[in-house]
Every structure is written in structure tokens, then in C-alpha cells.
Amino acid sequence: MNSLGTASPAVSTSLLEDFSLEMTGKDVPKLEEAAGLVPRGTRVNVTFLGNENLRMRLDAARAVQRLGFLPVPHISARRLGSQADFVEFLAGLRADGTGTDVFAVGGDPSRPEGPYEDALSLIESGLLREHGVRHVGISGYPEGHPAISGDVLWSALRDKCAALAAQGLDGSVITQFGFDVDPVLAWIEQVRGHGITLPVRIGVPGPAGVRRLMSYAARFGVGTSASIAKKYGLSITNLMGTAGPDRFLRALAAGHDPARHGEVKIHFYTFGGLRATAEWIAQFRKEARA
């Protein structure tokens, strides 16, 4: 048994062949440190936080591109104060050549700061395509959302997919992270049952401290019962320890059936840091090939 457990080759050759990462606008130095460990062309999502300004967001997207990766800037609908703010951001991305791929999300504020209430309103505005966007990521919630009912979530997902098709835009679904593979795979089957064929990127926490992972789980309404924690490899009696997603990925690889689940890839939330996540992925892939 190696340090990561016995990894299934399927994890490396399919699910991890085209993984994506997530960072904030303040993480540019950390991405520079990890750059040598990440395959060129990797998709790197750049979040749209309330404490960041336009310049910081544009600079971060440029840095991702400069380091040889594909920037995927987030656009938070409810954080946009006006249509002019939306256009300014899109125009800046287009001028830099960093705006072909974006991620559209409603965002954390409970009330919109401007005219955009959700990701659907961003897509339906027509401004994305007008400014050179070609691919739009949208959110998925295998375990639901603490503030949104299941019916509303399914309706929103269908509507966003229909809007993307109407706009002639490619898309993909990026899910909230979780610790239990079973509801994830069941949810993907439901997605396909709704006629949604977009690729799905399963959100996975990169290696991080158990206390931090539990904190994020509580914040986003992710199930963390004792049985789920044990299944994932979290020690709720040792909050000072760390945990990686090796068990989760092996279980996902074992349960993934392309005929039922379609195209599935992995999106890493880098809660424990970009370098730690990149090192973990590189080692996991190496041992999977051994």
C-alpha cells in the first residue's frame, strides 16, 4: 500500500486527464509557485469575490494565461452593480484575450446589487456572446443548496442549459464539492434524465486540514455525518489532521459508467492551497500509472 492507497488507473487516464483548478484573485503568487506541477492548458477558474476590484480580477486572469493555463473568470451576477459594470469586465477580458471561457454564477449576496439576479440573467443578456465568450460554466448541486429548494435548482439548471443553446454557447456544469460519491453519481443520472448532456465537472476538495474542510462543508450545506466522514477519510476526532480525496476519486472512478453518466471530469477546490493540491494530483497520477 502506498501513501495514497492503491489508485485505479481509470482515475488517472479519464477523470484526471483534464482536471480544473480554482483560485482567487489574490492567489497569483501561489499559482506561480505551483505552475511547474500543473499541465499546460489546464483550466483555472478565478473567483469573483466582493473584496476584489476589477483590476485585480483582470490581472489574475492575465496571470493565469501568462503561466500557460486557460483562465476561466467567474462572473457573479448579484455582485454586479450595473450593466456598465458587466460590460466593463467583459470588455477588459476580451481586450486581454482571457474571456473566451467564463463561469456564470448567482453569487453570495442575498439581494442583487444591480440588475442581474442570477446566472440565467447573465446568459440571457446576450452580452457574453457579444463580447467573445464561447464557453460558459454553470453550477450544479448534487446535495442541494441550503437556501434553494430542489425544484428551483432543477428548473434553473434546465433553463440555463436551454439559454446557452439558444445563445449558441458551449457549456459545462461544475458541481459543489462533496464527500460522498453515491449522491453525486445519482445526481448525474438525474441530470441526464432531464435531457442535459453537458459535460459535468465534479467538485472535489484538494487536500486540506480536516477542520477547514468541515468548516466549508457546514457553510455550503454539504453532508458530513460520521459515516460519510469515515467513508471519505475524515477523522472527526482529529480535527488537526489532513485529508485528501483519494478514496472519493477511486470510488468515483469505480462507479462512473459513461453510458449512464456521460462525460465527467474533476474540478478541484483548492482549500488547502494551490501548491498542495497540485503536488497531491501529480503524486496521485504518478502512483496510478505505476
Side-chain angles (χ1 to χ4, degrees), residues 263-282:
E263 185 177 354
V264 174
K265 299 182 184 298
I266 302 298
H267 178 74
F268 285 96
Y269 292 95
T270 56
F271 299 141
L274 279 161
R275 184 177 182 85
T277 300
E279 288 177 338
W280 189 95
I281 295 169

mmCIF file with all atom_site columns, all heavy atoms in Angstrom, residues 263-282:
data_model
loop_
_atom_site.group_PDB
_atom_site.id
_atom_site.type_symbol
_atom_site.label_atom_id
_atom_site.label_alt_id
_atom_site.label_comp_id
_atom_site.label_asym_id
_atom_site.label_entity_id
_atom_site.label_seq_id
_atom_site.pdbx_PDB_ins_code
_atom_site.Cartn_x
_atom_site.Cartn_y
_atom_site.Cartn_z
_atom_site.occupancy
_atom_site.B_iso_or_equiv
_atom_site.pdbx_formal_charge
_atom_site.auth_seq_id
_atom_site.auth_comp_id
_atom_site.auth_asym_id
_atom_site.auth_atom_id
_atom_site.pdbx_PDB_model_num
ATOM 1   N N   . GLU A 1 263 ? -20.057 12.415 -20.001 1.00 0.00 ? 263 GLU A N   1
ATOM 2   C CA  . GLU A 1 263 ? -18.706 12.946 -19.802 1.00 0.00 ? 263 GLU A CA  1
ATOM 3   C C   . GLU A 1 263 ? -18.564 13.559 -18.409 1.00 0.00 ? 263 GLU A C   1
ATOM 4   O O   . GLU A 1 263 ? -19.306 14.475 -18.049 1.00 0.00 ? 263 GLU A O   1
ATOM 5   C CB  . GLU A 1 263 ? -18.387 13.989 -20.870 1.00 0.00 ? 263 GLU A CB  1
ATOM 6   C CG  . GLU A 1 263 ? -16.955 14.504 -20.826 1.00 0.00 ? 263 GLU A CG  1
ATOM 7   C CD  . GLU A 1 263 ? -16.637 15.483 -21.939 1.00 0.00 ? 263 GLU A CD  1
ATOM 8   O OE1 . GLU A 1 263 ? -17.488 15.681 -22.829 1.00 0.00 ? 263 GLU A OE1 1
ATOM 9   O OE2 . GLU A 1 263 ? -15.532 16.066 -21.908 1.00 0.00 ? 263 GLU A OE2 1
ATOM 10  N N   . VAL A 1 264 ? -17.603 13.047 -17.655 1.00 0.00 ? 264 VAL A N   1
ATOM 11  C CA  . VAL A 1 264 ? -17.376 13.508 -16.280 1.00 0.00 ? 264 VAL A CA  1
ATOM 12  C C   . VAL A 1 264 ? -15.890 13.814 -16.097 1.00 0.00 ? 264 VAL A C   1
ATOM 13  O O   . VAL A 1 264 ? -15.033 13.023 -16.488 1.00 0.00 ? 264 VAL A O   1
ATOM 14  C CB  . VAL A 1 264 ? -17.825 12.447 -15.257 1.00 0.00 ? 264 VAL A CB  1
ATOM 15  C CG1 . VAL A 1 264 ? -17.441 12.871 -13.841 1.00 0.00 ? 264 VAL A CG1 1
ATOM 16  C CG2 . VAL A 1 264 ? -19.331 12.219 -15.343 1.00 0.00 ? 264 VAL A CG2 1
ATOM 17  N N   . LYS A 1 265 ? -15.595 14.962 -15.492 1.00 0.00 ? 265 LYS A N   1
ATOM 18  C CA  . LYS A 1 265 ? -14.229 15.354 -15.179 1.00 0.00 ? 265 LYS A CA  1
ATOM 19  C C   . LYS A 1 265 ? -14.189 15.868 -13.742 1.00 0.00 ? 265 LYS A C   1
ATOM 20  O O   . LYS A 1 265 ? -15.218 15.889 -13.065 1.00 0.00 ? 265 LYS A O   1
ATOM 21  C CB  . LYS A 1 265 ? -13.729 16.412 -16.171 1.00 0.00 ? 265 LYS A CB  1
ATOM 22  C CG  . LYS A 1 265 ? -13.696 15.931 -17.626 1.00 0.00 ? 265 LYS A CG  1
ATOM 23  C CD  . LYS A 1 265 ? -13.160 16.991 -18.565 1.00 0.00 ? 265 LYS A CD  1
ATOM 24  C CE  . LYS A 1 265 ? -13.222 16.527 -20.015 1.00 0.00 ? 265 LYS A CE  1
ATOM 25  N NZ  . LYS A 1 265 ? -12.379 15.328 -20.242 1.00 0.00 ? 265 LYS A NZ  1
ATOM 26  N N   . ILE A 1 266 ? -13.012 16.298 -13.306 1.00 0.00 ? 266 ILE A N   1
ATOM 27  C CA  . ILE A 1 266 ? -12.833 16.723 -11.916 1.00 0.00 ? 266 ILE A CA  1
ATOM 28  C C   . ILE A 1 266 ? -12.454 18.201 -11.839 1.00 0.00 ? 266 ILE A C   1
ATOM 29  O O   . ILE A 1 266 ? -11.622 18.684 -12.603 1.00 0.00 ? 266 ILE A O   1
ATOM 30  C CB  . ILE A 1 266 ? -11.733 15.888 -11.223 1.00 0.00 ? 266 ILE A CB  1
ATOM 31  C CG1 . ILE A 1 266 ? -12.082 14.402 -11.260 1.00 0.00 ? 266 ILE A CG1 1
ATOM 32  C CG2 . ILE A 1 266 ? -11.530 16.351 -9.784  1.00 0.00 ? 266 ILE A CG2 1
ATOM 33  C CD1 . ILE A 1 266 ? -13.363 14.045 -10.538 1.00 0.00 ? 266 ILE A CD1 1
ATOM 34  N N   . HIS A 1 267 ? -13.081 18.888 -10.884 1.00 0.00 ? 267 HIS A N   1
ATOM 35  C CA  . HIS A 1 267 ? -12.747 20.287 -10.583 1.00 0.00 ? 267 HIS A CA  1
ATOM 36  C C   . HIS A 1 267 ? -12.297 20.362 -9.130  1.00 0.00 ? 267 HIS A C   1
ATOM 37  O O   . HIS A 1 267 ? -13.042 20.008 -8.218  1.00 0.00 ? 267 HIS A O   1
ATOM 38  C CB  . HIS A 1 267 ? -13.965 21.191 -10.800 1.00 0.00 ? 267 HIS A CB  1
ATOM 39  C CG  . HIS A 1 267 ? -13.702 22.630 -10.467 1.00 0.00 ? 267 HIS A CG  1
ATOM 40  N ND1 . HIS A 1 267 ? -12.955 23.460 -11.271 1.00 0.00 ? 267 HIS A ND1 1
ATOM 41  C CD2 . HIS A 1 267 ? -14.098 23.391 -9.400  1.00 0.00 ? 267 HIS A CD2 1
ATOM 42  C CE1 . HIS A 1 267 ? -12.895 24.665 -10.728 1.00 0.00 ? 267 HIS A CE1 1
ATOM 43  N NE2 . HIS A 1 267 ? -13.569 24.647 -9.596  1.00 0.00 ? 267 HIS A NE2 1
ATOM 44  N N   . PHE A 1 268 ? -11.059 20.814 -8.907  1.00 0.00 ? 268 PHE A N   1
ATOM 45  C CA  . PHE A 1 268 ? -10.506 20.857 -7.555  1.00 0.00 ? 268 PHE A CA  1
ATOM 46  C C   . PHE A 1 268 ? -10.710 22.231 -6.912  1.00 0.00 ? 268 PHE A C   1
ATOM 47  O O   . PHE A 1 268 ? -10.261 23.251 -7.444  1.00 0.00 ? 268 PHE A O   1
ATOM 48  C CB  . PHE A 1 268 ? -9.008  20.537 -7.578  1.00 0.00 ? 268 PHE A CB  1
ATOM 49  C CG  . PHE A 1 268 ? -8.698  19.081 -7.782  1.00 0.00 ? 268 PHE A CG  1
ATOM 50  C CD1 . PHE A 1 268 ? -8.405  18.601 -9.051  1.00 0.00 ? 268 PHE A CD1 1
ATOM 51  C CD2 . PHE A 1 268 ? -8.712  18.189 -6.721  1.00 0.00 ? 268 PHE A CD2 1
ATOM 52  C CE1 . PHE A 1 268 ? -8.116  17.260 -9.255  1.00 0.00 ? 268 PHE A CE1 1
ATOM 53  C CE2 . PHE A 1 268 ? -8.423  16.847 -6.905  1.00 0.00 ? 268 PHE A CE2 1
ATOM 54  C CZ  . PHE A 1 268 ? -8.130  16.374 -8.182  1.00 0.00 ? 268 PHE A CZ  1
ATOM 55  N N   . TYR A 1 269 ? -11.358 22.223 -5.744  1.00 0.00 ? 269 TYR A N   1
ATOM 56  C CA  . TYR A 1 269 ? -11.417 23.405 -4.889  1.00 0.00 ? 269 TYR A CA  1
ATOM 57  C C   . TYR A 1 269 ? -10.169 23.377 -4.014  1.00 0.00 ? 269 TYR A C   1
ATOM 58  O O   . TYR A 1 269 ? -9.975  22.440 -3.234  1.00 0.00 ? 269 TYR A O   1
ATOM 59  C CB  . TYR A 1 269 ? -12.681 23.380 -4.027  1.00 0.00 ? 269 TYR A CB  1
ATOM 60  C CG  . TYR A 1 269 ? -13.957 23.545 -4.826  1.00 0.00 ? 269 TYR A CG  1
ATOM 61  C CD1 . TYR A 1 269 ? -14.680 22.437 -5.258  1.00 0.00 ? 269 TYR A CD1 1
ATOM 62  C CD2 . TYR A 1 269 ? -14.427 24.812 -5.158  1.00 0.00 ? 269 TYR A CD2 1
ATOM 63  C CE1 . TYR A 1 269 ? -15.845 22.583 -5.996  1.00 0.00 ? 269 TYR A CE1 1
ATOM 64  C CE2 . TYR A 1 269 ? -15.596 24.975 -5.891  1.00 0.00 ? 269 TYR A CE2 1
ATOM 65  C CZ  . TYR A 1 269 ? -16.304 23.853 -6.311  1.00 0.00 ? 269 TYR A CZ  1
ATOM 66  O OH  . TYR A 1 269 ? -17.463 24.005 -7.046  1.00 0.00 ? 269 TYR A OH  1
ATOM 67  N N   . THR A 1 270 ? -9.343  24.384 -4.149  1.00 0.00 ? 270 THR A N   1
ATOM 68  C CA  . THR A 1 270 ? -8.010  24.343 -3.531  1.00 0.00 ? 270 THR A CA  1
ATOM 69  C C   . THR A 1 270 ? -8.021  24.927 -2.119  1.00 0.00 ? 270 THR A C   1
ATOM 70  O O   . THR A 1 270 ? -7.285  25.855 -1.799  1.00 0.00 ? 270 THR A O   1
ATOM 71  C CB  . THR A 1 270 ? -6.996  25.095 -4.414  1.00 0.00 ? 270 THR A CB  1
ATOM 72  O OG1 . THR A 1 270 ? -7.453  26.442 -4.625  1.00 0.00 ? 270 THR A OG1 1
ATOM 73  C CG2 . THR A 1 270 ? -6.858  24.410 -5.765  1.00 0.00 ? 270 THR A CG2 1
ATOM 74  N N   . PHE A 1 271 ? -8.844  24.349 -1.250  1.00 0.00 ? 271 PHE A N   1
ATOM 75  C CA  . PHE A 1 271 ? -8.975  24.848 0.118   1.00 0.00 ? 271 PHE A CA  1
ATOM 76  C C   . PHE A 1 271 ? -7.653  24.783 0.873   1.00 0.00 ? 271 PHE A C   1
ATOM 77  O O   . PHE A 1 271 ? -7.391  25.607 1.746   1.00 0.00 ? 271 PHE A O   1
ATOM 78  C CB  . PHE A 1 271 ? -10.026 24.032 0.882   1.00 0.00 ? 271 PHE A CB  1
ATOM 79  C CG  . PHE A 1 271 ? -11.404 24.096 0.281   1.00 0.00 ? 271 PHE A CG  1
ATOM 80  C CD1 . PHE A 1 271 ? -12.206 22.964 0.245   1.00 0.00 ? 271 PHE A CD1 1
ATOM 81  C CD2 . PHE A 1 271 ? -11.896 25.273 -0.250  1.00 0.00 ? 271 PHE A CD2 1
ATOM 82  C CE1 . PHE A 1 271 ? -13.479 23.009 -0.292  1.00 0.00 ? 271 PHE A CE1 1
ATOM 83  C CE2 . PHE A 1 271 ? -13.175 25.338 -0.800  1.00 0.00 ? 271 PHE A CE2 1
ATOM 84  C CZ  . PHE A 1 271 ? -13.960 24.196 -0.822  1.00 0.00 ? 271 PHE A CZ  1
ATOM 85  N N   . GLY A 1 272 ? -6.822  23.794 0.572   1.00 0.00 ? 272 GLY A N   1
ATOM 86  C CA  . GLY A 1 272 ? -5.552  23.641 1.269   1.00 0.00 ? 272 GLY A CA  1
ATOM 87  C C   . GLY A 1 272 ? -4.393  24.313 0.565   1.00 0.00 ? 272 GLY A C   1
ATOM 88  O O   . GLY A 1 272 ? -3.236  24.155 0.978   1.00 0.00 ? 272 GLY A O   1
ATOM 89  N N   . GLY A 1 273 ? -4.679  25.061 -0.502  1.00 0.00 ? 273 GLY A N   1
ATOM 90  C CA  . GLY A 1 273 ? -3.638  25.767 -1.237  1.00 0.00 ? 273 GLY A CA  1
ATOM 91  C C   . GLY A 1 273 ? -3.390  25.174 -2.609  1.00 0.00 ? 273 GLY A C   1
ATOM 92  O O   . GLY A 1 273 ? -3.549  23.967 -2.831  1.00 0.00 ? 273 GLY A O   1
ATOM 93  N N   . LEU A 1 274 ? -2.994  26.017 -3.551  1.00 0.00 ? 274 LEU A N   1
ATOM 94  C CA  . LEU A 1 274 ? -2.762  25.579 -4.929  1.00 0.00 ? 274 LEU A CA  1
ATOM 95  C C   . LEU A 1 274 ? -1.582  24.617 -5.020  1.00 0.00 ? 274 LEU A C   1
ATOM 96  O O   . LEU A 1 274 ? -1.657  23.593 -5.711  1.00 0.00 ? 274 LEU A O   1
ATOM 97  C CB  . LEU A 1 274 ? -2.518  26.794 -5.824  1.00 0.00 ? 274 LEU A CB  1
ATOM 98  C CG  . LEU A 1 274 ? -3.769  27.543 -6.290  1.00 0.00 ? 274 LEU A CG  1
ATOM 99  C CD1 . LEU A 1 274 ? -3.409  28.946 -6.746  1.00 0.00 ? 274 LEU A CD1 1
ATOM 100 C CD2 . LEU A 1 274 ? -4.452  26.772 -7.410  1.00 0.00 ? 274 LEU A CD2 1
ATOM 101 N N   . ARG A 1 275 ? -0.492  24.929 -4.354  1.00 0.00 ? 275 ARG A N   1
ATOM 102 C CA  . ARG A 1 275 ? 0.678   24.064 -4.457  1.00 0.00 ? 275 ARG A CA  1
ATOM 103 C C   . ARG A 1 275 ? 0.403   22.689 -3.845  1.00 0.00 ? 275 ARG A C   1
ATOM 104 O O   . ARG A 1 275 ? 0.763   21.659 -4.427  1.00 0.00 ? 275 ARG A O   1
ATOM 105 C CB  . ARG A 1 275 ? 1.893   24.706 -3.782  1.00 0.00 ? 275 ARG A CB  1
ATOM 106 C CG  . ARG A 1 275 ? 3.162   23.873 -3.967  1.00 0.00 ? 275 ARG A CG  1
ATOM 107 C CD  . ARG A 1 275 ? 4.390   24.529 -3.363  1.00 0.00 ? 275 ARG A CD  1
ATOM 108 N NE  . ARG A 1 275 ? 5.574   23.714 -3.598  1.00 0.00 ? 275 ARG A NE  1
ATOM 109 C CZ  . ARG A 1 275 ? 6.303   23.773 -4.706  1.00 0.00 ? 275 ARG A CZ  1
ATOM 110 N NH1 . ARG A 1 275 ? 5.983   24.618 -5.673  1.00 0.00 ? 275 ARG A NH1 1
ATOM 111 N NH2 . ARG A 1 275 ? 7.350   22.978 -4.856  1.00 0.00 ? 275 ARG A NH2 1
ATOM 112 N N   . ALA A 1 276 ? -0.231  22.678 -2.675  1.00 0.00 ? 276 ALA A N   1
ATOM 113 C CA  . ALA A 1 276 ? -0.536  21.399 -2.033  1.00 0.00 ? 276 ALA A CA  1
ATOM 114 C C   . ALA A 1 276 ? -1.446  20.556 -2.921  1.00 0.00 ? 276 ALA A C   1
ATOM 115 O O   . ALA A 1 276 ? -1.256  19.335 -3.049  1.00 0.00 ? 276 ALA A O   1
ATOM 116 C CB  . ALA A 1 276 ? -1.190  21.635 -0.672  1.00 0.00 ? 276 ALA A CB  1
ATOM 117 N N   . THR A 1 277 ? -2.422  21.199 -3.556  1.00 0.00 ? 277 THR A N   1
ATOM 118 C CA  . THR A 1 277 ? -3.329  20.467 -4.448  1.00 0.00 ? 277 THR A CA  1
ATOM 119 C C   . THR A 1 277 ? -2.586  19.953 -5.667  1.00 0.00 ? 277 THR A C   1
ATOM 120 O O   . THR A 1 277 ? -2.748  18.790 -6.064  1.00 0.00 ? 277 THR A O   1
ATOM 121 C CB  . THR A 1 277 ? -4.494  21.371 -4.875  1.00 0.00 ? 277 THR A CB  1
ATOM 122 O OG1 . THR A 1 277 ? -5.227  21.794 -3.719  1.00 0.00 ? 277 THR A OG1 1
ATOM 123 C CG2 . THR A 1 277 ? -5.440  20.635 -5.822  1.00 0.00 ? 277 THR A CG2 1
ATOM 124 N N   . ALA A 1 278 ? -1.762  20.813 -6.275  1.00 0.00 ? 278 ALA A N   1
ATOM 125 C CA  . ALA A 1 278 ? -1.016  20.411 -7.472  1.00 0.00 ? 278 ALA A CA  1
ATOM 126 C C   . ALA A 1 278 ? -0.057  19.271 -7.167  1.00 0.00 ? 278 ALA A C   1
ATOM 127 O O   . ALA A 1 278 ? 0.086   18.326 -7.955  1.00 0.00 ? 278 ALA A O   1
ATOM 128 C CB  . ALA A 1 278 ? -0.268  21.612 -8.047  1.00 0.00 ? 278 ALA A CB  1
ATOM 129 N N   . GLU A 1 279 ? 0.621   19.345 -6.018  1.00 0.00 ? 279 GLU A N   1
ATOM 130 C CA  . GLU A 1 279 ? 1.542   18.269 -5.632  1.00 0.00 ? 279 GLU A CA  1
ATOM 131 C C   . GLU A 1 279 ? 0.783   16.964 -5.418  1.00 0.00 ? 279 GLU A C   1
ATOM 132 O O   . GLU A 1 279 ? 1.238   15.886 -5.825  1.00 0.00 ? 279 GLU A O   1
ATOM 133 C CB  . GLU A 1 279 ? 2.293   18.664 -4.358  1.00 0.00 ? 279 GLU A CB  1
ATOM 134 C CG  . GLU A 1 279 ? 3.326   19.754 -4.572  1.00 0.00 ? 279 GLU A CG  1
ATOM 135 C CD  . GLU A 1 279 ? 3.989   20.177 -3.285  1.00 0.00 ? 279 GLU A CD  1
ATOM 136 O OE1 . GLU A 1 279 ? 3.411   19.964 -2.194  1.00 0.00 ? 279 GLU A OE1 1
ATOM 137 O OE2 . GLU A 1 279 ? 5.105   20.749 -3.361  1.00 0.00 ? 279 GLU A OE2 1
ATOM 138 N N   . TRP A 1 280 ? -0.356  17.067 -4.769  1.00 0.00 ? 280 TRP A N   1
ATOM 139 C CA  . TRP A 1 280 ? -1.157  15.871 -4.497  1.00 0.00 ? 280 TRP A CA  1
ATOM 140 C C   . TRP A 1 280 ? -1.607  15.214 -5.806  1.00 0.00 ? 280 TRP A C   1
ATOM 141 O O   . TRP A 1 280 ? -1.506  14.000 -5.976  1.00 0.00 ? 280 TRP A O   1
ATOM 142 C CB  . TRP A 1 280 ? -2.368  16.244 -3.644  1.00 0.00 ? 280 TRP A CB  1
ATOM 143 C CG  . TRP A 1 280 ? -3.128  15.055 -3.139  1.00 0.00 ? 280 TRP A CG  1
ATOM 144 C CD1 . TRP A 1 280 ? -2.975  14.448 -1.929  1.00 0.00 ? 280 TRP A CD1 1
ATOM 145 C CD2 . TRP A 1 280 ? -4.126  14.320 -3.843  1.00 0.00 ? 280 TRP A CD2 1
ATOM 146 N NE1 . TRP A 1 280 ? -3.838  13.369 -1.831  1.00 0.00 ? 280 TRP A NE1 1
ATOM 147 C CE2 . TRP A 1 280 ? -4.551  13.271 -2.993  1.00 0.00 ? 280 TRP A CE2 1
ATOM 148 C CE3 . TRP A 1 280 ? -4.716  14.454 -5.095  1.00 0.00 ? 280 TRP A CE3 1
ATOM 149 C CZ2 . TRP A 1 280 ? -5.527  12.352 -3.366  1.00 0.00 ? 280 TRP A CZ2 1
ATOM 150 C CZ3 . TRP A 1 280 ? -5.685  13.523 -5.478  1.00 0.00 ? 280 TRP A CZ3 1
ATOM 151 C CH2 . TRP A 1 280 ? -6.088  12.486 -4.621  1.00 0.00 ? 280 TRP A CH2 1
ATOM 152 N N   . ILE A 1 281 ? -2.102  16.033 -6.747  1.00 0.00 ? 281 ILE A N   1
ATOM 153 C CA  . ILE A 1 281 ? -2.574  15.495 -8.031  1.00 0.00 ? 281 ILE A CA  1
ATOM 154 C C   . ILE A 1 281 ? -1.423  14.821 -8.776  1.00 0.00 ? 281 ILE A C   1
ATOM 155 O O   . ILE A 1 281 ? -1.578  13.716 -9.312  1.00 0.00 ? 281 ILE A O   1
ATOM 156 C CB  . ILE A 1 281 ? -3.191  16.612 -8.891  1.00 0.00 ? 281 ILE A CB  1
ATOM 157 C CG1 . ILE A 1 281 ? -4.459  17.172 -8.225  1.00 0.00 ? 281 ILE A CG1 1
ATOM 158 C CG2 . ILE A 1 281 ? -3.529  16.079 -10.291 1.00 0.00 ? 281 ILE A CG2 1
ATOM 159 C CD1 . ILE A 1 281 ? -4.972  18.440 -8.886  1.00 0.00 ? 281 ILE A CD1 1
ATOM 160 N N   . ALA A 1 282 ? -0.281  15.499 -8.830  1.00 0.00 ? 282 ALA A N   1
ATOM 161 C CA  . ALA A 1 282 ? 0.865   14.943 -9.551  1.00 0.00 ? 282 ALA A CA  1
ATOM 162 C C   . ALA A 1 282 ? 1.291   13.596 -8.962  1.00 0.00 ? 282 ALA A C   1
ATOM 163 O O   . ALA A 1 282 ? 1.571   12.640 -9.693  1.00 0.00 ? 282 ALA A O   1
ATOM 164 C CB  . ALA A 1 282 ? 2.030   15.931 -9.513  1.00 0.00 ? 282 ALA A CB  1
#
